[in-house]
Amino acid sequence: MLYSQFFIPTLKETPADAEVISHQLMLRAGMIRKLAAGIYTYLPLGLRSIRKFEQIVREEMNRAGAIELLMPAVQPAELWIESKRWSQYGKELLRFHDRKDAEFCMGPTHEEVITDIARREVKSYRQMPVNFYQIQTKFRDEIRPRFGLMRGREFIMKDAYSFDVDSAAADHSYEKMYDAYNRIFERCGLNFRAVEADTGSIGGSASHEFMVLASSGEDAIVSCNACRYAANVEKAEGRRGEAAAPGAAAVAKVHTPDTKTIAEVATFLGLPESATSKTLLLSDGDGKFVMALVRGDHELNELKLKNKLGWDDIRMATDEEILRFTGSPPGFLGPIGLKEPLTVVADYALLQMTNLVTGANEVDQHLTGVNPGRDFTPDQYADIRLIGAGDPCPRCEGGTLEVWRGIEVGHVFKLGTKYSGALQATYLDQEGKEQVIFMGCYGIGIGRTVAAAIEQNHDENGIIFPLPIAPFHCSVVAINAQKDEAVMAAARDIHDRLEAAGVEVLLDDRDERPGVKFKDHDLIGIPLRINVGGKNLADGKVEFKLRSGGEMLLLTPDEAVERVIADVRAALGGGK
């Protein structure tokens, strides 16, 4: 491919509205252009990377036994009403009426549609297991689209859905998809983690997120330094220790003027924050309340608490509600001396605490010498705190947790019968009895993964693409070719030989200064480069350069061609 005949509208300046590096570089490299908020056109260079990743996804999905189909982007409201998500999904669901006043939505996901297909077509246990997938455009009307392809409204997604006769068979399908996802991201050359995660609005019994590690990631994850355990911090588990015997200190009330925060109380009393208890009052917004206790230097994980209580929603109590239950304003709350009965849930860490400090439910007063089990008894102990760096691994002995930032690019769910039950997708078993189908669903953000790869692989000069998803494998830069026919002839020969070997090559034949060409090629991030210039060519050499690390070698044209072919075959070998 000749650069002069391709379309790569690079930009020298970073657009003002581009916040993260992938957004900045994809705009500057001429990969995408914005049409409206959260809606982008994929320009030729960007589309090549998108298609590369799609092909890897297709190959691994097919390898895992999934079957490709394509479902409509527009979905009738009736299906969403059946699944009870029409009212639950919120304003992200773009709804509209057709000319007959029938109500539809633009599909943000396709659980309802694929379940409708299954209930119409899958009637017998003999037809399962079966897994359908598609690569298709979705639309979610994000309240604040941002970060380019990282959080757009319109986006390309691979979604797959498995159907099985029972839970055990569904677990097997889930494991096949889990393994396929690992192969997909490994083939892309990405540093990633598969982490345990919350099921969110999709629902189901279990899920894993696939996170590309990058300092700009929106999500925090933890992983063990000794075993394979990894989880989103919202899901990460704490280890339950043995309960400590109550301490000998007696409860004493201490005047603590103007000390509302844990840090202020600890400083005032000359104690570490870990010797205090943090007390929080929360509500489900519908009349239920709970008091949650965590160690003073820990943070409450509201998602864990919500799931533990089986609530649909959770929020902090208002000042008026706090006063009603405790008789005190915020800052002095504790589990002893409540004005009204409350369910009290304490984190496991409190099992090991003795002689701790709590609020006294009085302004400017705290209690010291408080011992759980002696001075108050929680209704239950549970894992309700955020896990952090240095915490012990909940799965192995001796391992500690490390914290990373990650970008979610894939998610796999065990759905069970959430959708098949609601939409009555059933089959006849071996005894002719009607049973509900078990489901799983599996999604990958296509454009988001390409953007995440850039977040993970770039430098001050531009993108550094992993070779498997680079728009081209190699670029050949002809230096001052208009002044030296031998340079252009040698560059064309290298280009043609590489193409004949199956290497995707971009030959820069433009009449531009060498510095302009080099800057453009650094920006667009093609992994391998051969610079052909008159001075080196006179000595029978060309420059071979790796975009990653900047390694530069003087090689003969034959050696350069052989090196590129070897590097490409090594990088793409996992898919062959």
Side-chain angles (χ1 to χ4, degrees):
M1 174 64 68
L2 297 179
Y3 201 123
S4 62
Q5 296 178 8
F6 202 54
F7 184 69
I8 311 177
T10 59
L11 302 173
K12 291 182 179 179
E13 302 297 327
T14 299
D17 63 342
E19 299 174 78
V20 296
I21 197 68
S22 61
H23 192 194
Q24 296 170 9
L25 292 177
M26 293 184 88
L27 288 169
R28 288 192 56 216
M31 298 182 71
I32 59 173
R33 286 295 182 264
K34 180 179 176 180
L35 177 64
I39 302 174
Y40 290 84
T41 297
Y42 302 100
L43 298 183
L45 197 70
L47 186 60
R48 286 182 70 92
S49 282
I50 293 288
R51 295 293 185 238
K52 293 281 191 70
F53 183 52
E54 287 180 354
Q55 184 59 29
I56 291 172
V57 170
R58 278 195 172 92
E59 289 173 4
E60 292 302 335
M61 293 302 294
N62 294 342
R63 178 179 171 185
I67 305 166
E68 186 171 8
L69 47 63
L70 185 62
M71 292 176 276
V74 174
Q75 304 180 19
E78 288 81 5
L79 285 178
W80 285 73
I81 292 170
E82 275 192 82
S83 71
K84 298 182 173 57
R85 286 209 297 176
W86 187 251
S87 58
Q88 294 175 358
Y89 210 89
K91 292 185 177 181
E92 286 186 2
L93 191 64
L94 182 62
R95 308 156 204 256
F96 60 94
H97 292 80
D98 68 7
R99 67 177 62 198
K100 297 180 180 179
D101 206 35
E103 202 164 13
F104 289 86
C105 68
M106 289 295 295
T109 183
H110 277 70
E111 284 82 12
E112 283 80 2
V113 177
I114 197 68
T115 307
D116 181 61
I117 292 171
R119 70 179 174 181
R120 295 171 185 270
E121 307 297 337
V122 179
K123 299 295 185 181
S124 168
Y125 72 94
R126 297 180 185 275
Q127 295 172 272
M128 293 180 282
V130 65
N131 189 334
F132 299 112
Y133 80 95
Q134 65 172 350
I135 298 176
Q136 193 234 39
T137 298
K138 312 282 192 186
F139 191 92
R140 295 177 186 171
D141 200 4
E142 293 272 358
I143 188 171
R144 186 173 165 245
R146 59 196 187 279
F147 308 152
L149 301 190
M150 299 294 292
R151 190 168 292 280
R153 293 194 295 166
E154 182 180 287
F155 55 95
I156 301 172
M157 181 179 179
K158 188 286 300 179
D159 46 326
Y161 307 89
S162 61
F163 299 87
D164 287 280
V165 296
D166 57 27
S167 180
D171 287 348
H172 181 65
S173 293
Y174 183 92
E175 290 301 320
K176 288 176 69 175
M177 286 295 99
Y178 179 90
D179 292 341
Y181 273 41
N182 277 293
R183 291 195 300 270
I184 287 168
F185 297 117
E186 286 168 0
R187 284 184 57 184
C188 290
L190 299 176
N191 186 11
F192 71 97
R193 297 286 189 278
V195 304
E196 296 180 12
D198 188 65
T199 56
S201 63
I202 299 296
S205 60
S207 74
H208 284 83
E209 292 171 337
F210 287 78
M211 295 280 194
V212 169
L213 303 185
S215 60
S216 58
E218 288 188 278
D219 296 300
I221 66 174
V222 298
S223 65
C224 179
N225 61 9
C227 74
R228 294 182 60 188
Y229 177 74
N232 190 300
V233 290
E234 293 181 335
K235 182 76 171 179
E237 301 171 11
R239 176 179 285 183
R240 176 171 181 162
E242 296 296 324
V251 175
K253 186 183 294 185
V254 179
H255 183 55
T256 52
D258 301 320
T259 56
K260 294 184 177 182
T261 69
I262 291 294
E264 290 169 345
V265 172
T267 299
F268 183 86
L269 296 175
L271 296 171
E273 292 184 18
S274 59
T276 69
S277 171
K278 187 179 296 180
T279 305
L280 301 161
L281 188 65
L282 301 99
S283 170
D284 69 345
D286 197 28
K288 294 180 182 177
F289 292 85
V290 66
M291 176 172 279
L293 305 177
V294 296
R295 205 170 76 187
D297 58 333
H298 292 164
E299 295 296 329
L300 174 68
N301 185 325
E302 293 186 16
L303 180 63
K304 284 184 181 179
L305 181 61
K306 178 174 76 75
N307 291 341
K308 184 67 178 179
L309 297 171
W311 289 358
D312 293 326
D313 196 12
I314 193 166
R315 64 166 175 80
M316 300 302 296
T318 64
D319 289 359
E320 291 76 13
E321 291 166 341
I322 290 172
L323 190 63
R324 170 187 145 198
F325 282 98
T326 69
S328 168
F332 307 98
L333 308 188
I336 299 174
L338 298 174
K339 290 185 66 177
E340 291 190 25
L342 265 176
T343 296
V344 177
V345 179
D347 183 67
Y348 285 143
L350 268 71
L351 275 169
Q352 299 170 291
M353 295 183 68
T354 59
N355 302 329
L356 60 93
V357 177
T358 74
N361 294 321
E362 295 180 30
V363 176
D364 293 340
Q365 301 289 336
H366 281 79
L367 300 178
T368 63
V370 176
N371 284 267
R374 185 194 71 182
D375 304 312
F376 75 96
T377 301
D379 292 280
Q380 61 176 308
Y381 286 96
D383 174 17
I384 59 170
R385 73 176 177 94
L386 285 171
I387 303 304
D391 280 325
C393 177
R395 300 293 173 81
C396 74
E397 292 296 331
T400 57
L401 299 180
E402 301 171 335
V403 176
W404 308 82
R405 303 301 302 180
I407 300 167
E408 181 191 345
V409 292
H411 209 151
V412 293
F413 297 87
K414 293 181 183 180
L415 293 179
T417 59
K418 175 180 172 66
Y419 296 94
S420 53
L423 273 66
Q424 299 180 24
T426 61
Y427 72 96
L428 296 180
D429 65 16
Q430 290 176 303
E431 298 177 355
K433 294 181 181 179
E434 189 175 61
Q435 306 287 351
V436 178
I437 296 172
F438 278 74
M439 292 176 58
C441 76
Y442 320 93
I444 290 177
I446 301 295
R448 187 179 176 89
T449 300
V450 173
I454 294 171
E455 291 288 335
Q456 188 178 87
N457 299 278
H458 67 272
D459 62 15
E460 66 277 8
N461 296 316
I463 301 167
I464 307 173
F465 267 115
L467 195 146
I469 57 173
F472 293 92
H473 301 141
C474 178
S475 59
V476 177
V477 180
I479 301 170
N480 296 323
Q482 282 68 26
K483 300 177 182 178
D484 191 336
E485 291 183 2
V487 166
M488 195 63 213
R492 282 187 177 276
D493 179 64
I494 291 171
H495 168 274
D496 293 347
R497 290 167 63 189
L498 288 173
E499 276 202 339
V503 176
E504 297 176 0
V505 193
L506 180 66
L507 171 56
D508 194 342
D509 60 333
R510 295 176 296 164
D511 185 11
E512 289 282 4
R513 299 188 310 275
V516 171
K517 291 187 175 186
F518 294 157
K519 281 186 176 295
D520 280 344
H521 285 274
D522 281 345
L523 175 60
I524 64 180
I526 296 174
L528 309 173
R529 188 163 88 210
I530 298 174
N531 298 324
V532 183
K535 183 177 179 180
N536 286 324
L537 197 60
D539 296 328
K541 302 288 186 179
V542 295
E543 290 180 345
F544 169 81
K545 183 178 181 181
L546 292 176
R547 178 67 184 89
S548 175
E551 179 186 4
M552 182 84 77
L553 300 173
L554 283 177
L555 304 174
T556 67
D558 287 345
E559 290 170 340
V561 168
E562 291 171 2
R563 172 66 186 268
V564 168
I565 292 172
D567 284 1
V568 170
R569 288 177 176 171
L572 302 184
K576 303 302 181 184

